[in-house]
Amino acid sequence: MSTDTATPEGQYRVVVNDEEQHSLWPLRTDPPAGWVPTGFVGTREECSAHIDRVWPDIRPLSLRRRLAGDAA
């Protein structure tokens, strides 16, 4: 028996917030307020690998902008 409680199938979705921070969330539940699905769904390992590929700079968007001198 699997100990993965995400779903019976162990599926997750990748979600992102307005600071471009990524996370994985159980597929069977809605993400929390402020987080939206990116469209990527898979196992915990697949989602983690996807996040590693698409989010190389884990600093929040506001910090990246501030350090780049962009006041936007």
Side-chain angles (χ1 to χ4, degrees), residues 11-17 21-27 31 35-44 46-55:
Q11 294 291 295
Y12 292 82
R13 74 179 93 214
V14 174
V15 295
V16 65
N17 66 16
Q21 296 169 304
H22 290 67
S23 186
L24 51 97
W25 199 255
L27 188 58
W35 292 84
V36 295
T38 65
F40 189 92
V41 173
T43 65
R44 176 183 285 275
E46 291 167 338
C47 288
S48 292
H50 175 75
I51 290 171
D52 288 344
R53 283 190 303 275
V54 300
W55 191 35

Side-chain angles (χ1 to χ4, degrees), residues 1-12 28 44-45:
M1 174 179 265
S2 172
T3 60
D4 190 342
T5 59
T7 67
E9 301 82 28
Q11 294 291 295
Y12 292 82
R28 71 176 179 190
R44 176 183 285 275
E45 293 78 18

